[in-house]
Amino acid sequence: MLPDNETRINDSAELWLDQAVTRYESDSSRLLQILHEVQERFGHISQQATGILAEKLDIPRARIESVASFYSFLHLKPHGEYRVLFSDNITDRMLGSEALMEQMCQLLWLQPGKVSEDGLVSINTTSCTGMCDQGPAMLVNGRAITRLSHQRVQEIAQLIRNRTPLADWPADFFRVEDNIRRSGLLLGNTLAYGEVLHAAVTAGAQQIVEVVKASGLRGRGGAGFPTGQKWEACRNAPGKEHYVVCNADEGEPGTFKDRVLLTRQADLVFEGMTLCALAVGASKGFLYLRGEYRYLLEPLHAVLQRRRDSNLLGISILGKPGFDFDIEIHLGAGAYICGEESALIESLEGKRGVPRSRPPFPVTHGYMQQPTAVDNVETFCQAALAVQMGAEKYRAIGTEKSSGSKLVSVSGDCAYPGIYEYPFGVTVREILQDCGAVNTRAVQISGPSGVCVPENEFNRKLGFEDLPTAGAFMVFDDSRDMFEVARNYVHFFAHESCGFCTPCRVGTSMLKQTMDKIANGHGTKHDLREIDKLDRVLQNTSHCGLGRTACNPVLHTLKHFRPAYENRLKSLDFKPAFDLDGSLARARQMTGRDDAGAHLKETE
Amino acid sequence: MSKKLRVATTSLAGCFGCHMSFLDIDERLLTLLDLVEFDRSPINDIKHCGPCDIGIIEGGVCNAENVHVLREFRKNCKIIIAIGACAINGGLPAQRNHLDLASCLTEVYLTEPGLAHGHIPNDPELPLPLDKVHPLYEVVKIDYYIPGCPPSGDAIWKFLTDLIAGRTPELGHGLIKYD
């Protein structure tokens, strides 16, 4: 790496680093959290800071650099006093994010991805920040800003030029709405905090497992594994320690229900985690909060503290001897792959978020190779509700194989984007009616890795029998080009591939190149066949689900919206991927030649 | 076998390493000659390719001449095989892709100390360099790929004998290598 031309870290900075490391008990498995703090304090992780950390944590510099370089919110080089990231989900684009970013670049005299010469600011894009119902959105030094407009972008550029500290920016910029449009048993619950736990402590661990099993509750992160079965397996797995992990790394573009749950139902989330701890015999829990939701950290810490003060966390919870449990919040740093449970655990251990080989599964070999129950935010809430209501009553809601309710994050072309709670079994059409969508062409269910549902399938139902979902529900009306939707998703996967296995690292990039080739007007039928081949390689040979699902957007849109692709194709059998004659222009200019040999025809 | 297959080979922006590896099939070259006839190839120095069954191409595309040769092969060969890292991905020559071509030429021919009256060569005989080095598949349709830098003689032998015998070539474990 090139030496960074910064001023040397002074004594007070070194003291600060020392204190930071001490706060984390010089534990190298907390590396990611330490790096987060260094990044927040200094704007980047300098070579010098790396050296000091390596020494104090007694790990090689290379390990620190390898971790820091994995996460897109951590920087090893100065990245500007103000680091601006525009959320680049298709829903942000549909609300005009591209023009806004261009405007901001012009206002600040800057190219995307570059740091301004005075080191003041950098502007770039980032994957969906989970503000799809109030976009376009951006992050400035990790803080979320919503409802961007030309007016707002102008104001932000001015604040940056004046070097106004982020704390003094108008509070309205950072306002995040909950936009709850329809409540059900979860969002409408009137439970006092601690209520479920009181009852459960009396009933005991075995009873919790039995009720959750009998309730038919299945994981709400998308895969739908039976929660009770998971808890039972974790409980029965031998190990020195057992752990509970709440997956709040809500990275699937178009999903934002966990953000709302952590804002409005944080107690229920922690209550569910504590129930799980009692059930599996864990004394330590983690909430893995995605870096984009950094602003929730302080409020969540306050909730945890209140629960400790009420003896709902800590030693001998609610007076039950031996029931010791506490929760720590671990902040992610902009890596979609960490939503995959084994990658999440690697990240919790302070490593790069590369998915593990499974089996063994986390229930037997999870955090620190110990039995670990990893569940989604919503799952913990639903588990608490199931325990409170009783299995039979809970099971009566929803469908046979999908009991209970589901939060749906609605965004895109509709009048009322936001959070909708429905019993499982609701049809796509009902949701579209409720959210005021008209002339809908398609809905992307469960994000880019999910399913694209066209108009003639709007009677399909949400649930594990038909359309399993983590909650994303992106609506596209008939003005939208489904090819561009798929291309946006393909770019997303290429960006988020962790790079560990070749089929995914190379395959997602090749898929991106081919989609770009078609978008640039160089596509042919041959390229559609190549896409088909790539899809099969990705599906059959990728290490984890990211690669296996990366081709879904293309497969589904090719199936339902093939003309959107074909309209762009040249009718020829093959076309070069780039402008051949144009790529000689530079050499022509330098040599002053313009003879016949200095040109190439597009085809012969 | 009724008729010998015609095979042409060439190296574009490559190092001839794949051709050297091809020669590593050693005495099997004689067996091969019973099965195929060589058209344009460095082996016989034929300058242009006629109608062929198989075209084997090493190296990526870095200049206008590469484009012409590649097109000549595509026009004449029923099957085109991209062989080696450069043909498949651009390989080592593509390392220049992150540099601006104009500044490369300026540095090499104009500003480098020790150049007396340097000028950027502009003779029409010389092919112009493309601003980037490209893999073959971006310029013409490619039917098969043999990865490796270079692929081993055994891999090339297996691939060709499969193809000649009418089997779908399958390198499999041990023969398929990317380095």
Side-chain angles (χ1 to χ4, degrees):
Chain A
M1 205 177 80
L2 296 169
D4 35 7
N5 47 357
E6 58 183 316
T7 50
R8 293 191 70 76
I9 281 189
N10 54 30
D11 291 346
S12 73
E14 183 160 357
L15 184 70
W16 184 90
L17 281 170
D18 198 40
Q19 285 166 346
V21 171
T22 312
R23 245 193 334 275
Y24 288 99
E25 297 160 343
S26 305
D27 180 355
S28 62
S29 75
R30 319 281 277 281
L31 180 60
L32 183 52
Q33 301 310 292
I34 298 172
L35 292 177
H36 245 301
E37 293 206 9
V38 175
Q39 166 84 42
E40 276 194 20
R41 163 99 189 189
F42 300 107
H44 78 290
I45 299 153
S46 67
Q47 285 220 22
Q48 254 202 305
T50 305
I52 293 169
L53 289 178
E55 201 175 302
K56 294 197 190 302
L57 291 168
D58 195 24
I59 51 174
R61 301 177 63 104
R63 158 123 192 252
I64 298 179
E65 281 173 14
S66 100
V67 170
S69 60
F70 182 85
Y71 297 93
S72 59
F73 291 171
L74 301 179
H75 304 289
L76 287 163
K77 286 186 193 162
H79 235 72
E81 287 169 50
Y82 295 88
R83 298 169 299 282
V84 178
L85 292 170
F86 279 82
S87 177
D88 198 28
N89 188 20
I90 186 72
T91 53
D92 294 288
R93 288 192 177 200
M94 283 154 57
L95 293 165
S97 65
E98 287 163 298
L100 293 173
M101 177 156 148
E102 203 181 304
Q103 180 200 3
M104 189 155 185
C105 285
Q106 274 172 8
L107 287 170
L108 293 166
W109 290 88
L110 168 79
Q111 278 185 333
K114 300 251 167 70
V115 186
S116 62
E117 277 181 27
D118 54 2
L120 177 65
V121 55
S122 64
I123 299 175
N124 212 337
T125 54
T126 187
S127 301
C128 178
T129 59
M131 302 289 167
C132 323
D133 57 336
Q134 45 206 301
M138 64 158 64
L139 297 171
V140 179
N141 293 354
R143 294 304 296 250
I145 297 182
T146 56
R147 295 178 303 274
L148 294 173
S149 59
H150 285 291
Q151 166 77 22
R152 187 161 280 192
V153 163
Q154 230 160 31
E155 288 170 36
I156 291 171
Q158 192 60 43
L159 288 164
I160 290 177
R161 255 193 251 114
N162 296 341
R163 285 191 153 81
T164 310
L166 213 54
D168 300 335
W169 289 22
D172 189 48
F173 286 12
F174 304 100
R175 194 160 48 86
V176 177
E177 303 280 359
D178 293 331
N179 287 335
I180 295 175
R181 310 281 186 185
R182 191 179 193 279
S183 296
L185 77 147
L186 203 177
L187 294 171
N189 86 79
T190 50
L191 294 167
Y193 68 91
E195 197 177 325
V196 187
L197 205 55
H198 269 284
V201 162
T202 328
Q206 190 59 44
Q207 180 62 20
I208 298 173
V209 172
E210 292 308 325
V211 173
V212 175
K213 264 172 81 178
S215 72
L217 175 63
R218 296 171 68 168
R220 297 295 198 254
F225 192 84
T227 308
Q229 205 179 315
K230 187 188 277 184
W231 290 11
E232 186 171 51
C234 182
R235 174 183 167 78
N236 294 336
K240 284 199 306 267
E241 290 274 350
H242 285 60
Y243 294 98
V244 173
V245 174
C246 175
N247 184 346
D249 191 41
E250 186 175 47
E252 190 71 45
T255 320
F256 46 88
K257 61 170 180 81
D258 294 345
R259 157 169 66 76
V260 175
L261 283 176
L262 291 169
T263 311
R264 291 284 277 262
Q265 300 285 342
D267 265 297
L268 197 62
V269 178
F270 294 137
E271 195 113 342
M273 288 178 72
T274 315
L275 281 175
C276 176
L278 182 60
V280 305
S283 58
K284 175 106 195 154
F286 294 97
L287 177 90
Y288 191 106
L289 183 67
R290 74 184 300 218
E292 287 81 348
Y293 298 164
R294 163 72 185 78
Y295 72 98
L296 288 173
L297 191 61
E298 285 82 13
L300 288 172
H301 273 147
V303 174
L304 285 176
Q305 193 51 49
R306 176 165 47 68
R307 293 182 70 87
R308 283 185 200 111
D309 296 342
S310 318
N311 193 219
L312 294 167
L313 284 175
I315 306 291
S316 302
I317 292 172
L318 294 176
K320 187 179 164 79
F323 182 19
D324 307 335
F325 181 66
D326 211 327
I327 296 171
E328 187 180 313
I329 302 177
H330 177 106
L331 201 56
Y336 165 72
I337 189 63
C338 290
E340 195 279 341
E341 60 177 4
S342 68
L344 182 147
I345 290 171
E346 287 285 298
S347 179
L348 272 182
E349 293 180 358
K351 302 181 200 153
R352 291 164 72 87
V354 173
R356 295 176 177 174
S357 294
R358 301 183 310 167
F361 292 94
V363 282
T364 57
H365 295 76
Y367 181 67
M368 299 296 175
Q369 296 300 316
Q370 299 302 310
T372 305
V374 186
D375 283 299
N376 178 262
V377 174
E378 189 182 347
T379 312
F380 282 118
C381 292
Q382 294 282 355
L385 292 172
V387 168
Q388 199 264 338
M389 293 166 67
E392 210 165 302
K393 243 173 113 185
Y394 187 84
R395 227 195 159 119
I397 302 162
T399 65
E400 196 196 332
K401 286 181 180 149
S402 316
S403 54
S405 66
K406 181 78 196 87
L407 300 200
V408 182
S409 317
V410 178
S411 62
D413 296 314
C414 63
Y416 313 107
I419 296 291
Y420 293 73
E421 182 178 0
Y422 291 98
F424 271 117
V426 64
T427 63
V428 173
R429 194 180 304 282
E430 284 171 74
I431 302 177
L432 285 172
Q433 271 159 10
D434 289 351
C435 71
V438 287
N439 302 328
T440 306
R441 168 166 289 176
V443 180
Q444 184 74 23
I445 309 265
S446 203
S449 65
V451 185
C452 180
V453 177
E455 199 185 342
N456 58 353
E457 295 181 7
F458 284 172
N459 287 331
R460 291 179 70 179
K461 293 173 175 170
L462 297 199
F464 300 104
E465 294 94 332
D466 183 10
L467 286 172
T469 176
F473 191 98
M474 288 184 266
V475 184
F476 304 102
D477 71 18
D478 56 11
S479 71
R480 304 298 175 187
D481 178 349
M482 295 311 289
F483 171 82
E484 281 302 332
V485 173
R487 192 161 79 98
N488 174 269
Y489 294 159
V490 164
H491 274 251
F492 163 76
F493 284 119
H495 180 259
E496 294 296 344
S497 171
C498 81
F500 170 74
C501 77
T502 310
C504 176
R505 182 183 65 245
V506 178
T508 52
S509 284
M510 289 183 72
L511 199 54
K512 177 174 109 170
Q513 280 167 15
T514 313
M515 291 294 277
D516 288 350
K517 181 180 174 185
I518 295 172
N520 295 333
H522 297 296
T524 57
K525 288 246 157 83
H526 172 74
D527 294 299
L528 296 188
R529 285 195 297 273
E530 287 298 307
I531 285 179
D532 205 44
K533 274 199 238 168
L534 269 173
D535 286 346
R536 261 176 292 155
V537 172
L538 275 164
Q539 279 186 320
N540 296 332
T541 60
S542 295
H543 175 62
C544 79
L546 191 151
R548 281 196 293 276
T549 53
C551 42
N552 282 358
V554 180
L555 282 176
H556 297 159
T557 48
L558 260 177
K559 182 171 170 209
H560 300 302
F561 302 101
R562 201 174 177 88
Y565 288 71
E566 288 173 339
N567 287 342
R568 286 187 158 74
L569 301 182
K570 299 263 168 172
S571 58
L572 299 160
D573 189 44
F574 184 88
K575 282 260 300 167
F578 58 100
D579 173 9
L580 283 168
D581 192 54
S583 66
L584 286 178
R586 205 86 168 113
R588 274 197 297 270
Q589 181 200 343
M590 294 306 287
T591 55
R593 280 177 54 187
D594 198 23
D595 53 283
H599 288 276
L600 280 168
K601 292 197 195 93
E602 194 177 16
T603 46
E604 262 183 347
Chain B
M1 192 162 293
S2 51
K3 183 179 148 280
K4 283 187 174 182
L5 294 177
R6 279 189 84 78
V7 176
T9 79
T10 190
S11 173
L12 304 178
C15 70
F16 276 91
C18 294
H19 275 82
M20 298 307 289
S21 203
F22 185 19
L23 295 180
D24 282 344
I25 66 173
D26 298 330
E27 75 281 3
R28 285 170 289 184
L29 197 53
L30 299 175
T31 319
L32 186 66
L33 283 174
D34 289 337
L35 303 170
V36 307
E37 235 167 8
F38 278 97
D39 197 290
R40 171 177 179 165
S41 170
I43 290 174
N44 52 28
D45 212 25
I46 296 175
K47 301 294 186 203
H48 287 282
C49 164
C52 281
D53 297 290
I54 300 171
I56 302 172
I57 304 173
E58 161 193 346
V61 180
C62 79
N63 63 29
E65 195 218 0
N66 291 161
V67 175
H68 293 307
V69 174
L70 185 55
R71 283 177 165 172
E72 181 182 302
F73 268 66
R74 183 68 272 182
K75 210 156 81 186
N76 286 294
C77 304
K78 290 185 203 156
I79 292 170
I80 293 280
I81 304 172
I83 187 171
C86 305
I88 295 173
N89 293 316
L92 205 62
Q95 294 286 304
R96 79 155 155 95
N97 284 0
H98 66 281
L99 300 171
D100 173 49
L101 178 68
S103 47
C104 278
L105 292 172
T106 307
E107 185 162 340
V108 172
Y109 293 108
L110 300 177
T111 59
E112 182 72 5
L115 284 175
H117 315 297
H119 77 283
I120 298 171
N122 60 359
D123 192 305
E125 286 275 298
L126 297 171
L128 287 183
L130 300 171
D131 57 358
K132 299 255 193 298
V133 179
H134 293 266
L136 302 186
Y137 73 83
E138 290 191 352
V139 181
V140 299
K141 187 164 93 61
I142 300 298
D143 302 300
Y144 293 100
Y145 300 87
I146 310 180
C149 188
S152 66
D154 287 343
I156 297 171
W157 174 252
K158 172 76 166 62
F159 203 94
L160 286 181
T161 45
D162 275 353
L163 210 55
I164 292 163
R167 293 186 293 265
T168 304
E170 189 79 54
L171 286 182
H173 186 69
L175 285 179
I176 191 155
K177 285 209 168 80
Y178 289 87
D179 55 357

